[in-house]
Amino acid sequence: MDCSVEGKVAFTDGYSYHFATVDDALAFAACVKSSQQPDTCAATHGSTQKVKLEEVKTKEEEDEEERNR
């Protein structure tokens, strides 16, 4: 399982997990790498939002189409 952190957002298993602080996101990433349980780690480290990446892509595509009109 791969887990990466960008700012206050961590990505793993096709989801983005949002956090209040960068430290929380980094702690989440370390937890996922050791336990392989992202949902448990997200709850433990205070994730504020979980978003399926496909949904984000669809929203970005919709926004792009709207800008092109």
Side-chain angles (χ1 to χ4, degrees):
M1 177 181 303
D2 185 36
C3 185
S4 61
V5 176
E6 184 175 310
K8 294 188 272 185
V9 182
F11 303 91
T12 190
D13 279 355
Y15 289 91
S16 65
Y17 293 84
H18 300 244
F19 296 89
T21 68
V22 173
D23 289 341
D24 290 341
L26 292 171
F28 166 81
C31 179
V32 169
K33 288 178 183 177
S34 66
S35 73
Q36 303 292 309
Q37 297 179 9
D39 289 333
T40 302
C41 292
T44 301
H45 296 288
S47 175
T48 58
Q49 183 180 19
K50 176 183 174 182
V51 177
K52 188 168 183 155
L53 294 178
E54 290 175 3
E55 292 172 1
V56 172
K57 183 177 178 184
T58 301
K59 177 69 174 142
E60 289 175 357
E61 290 170 352
E62 289 172 0
D63 291 346
E64 178 75 24
E65 288 176 7
E66 190 172 308
R67 282 192 298 266
N68 290 337
R69 292 182 190 163

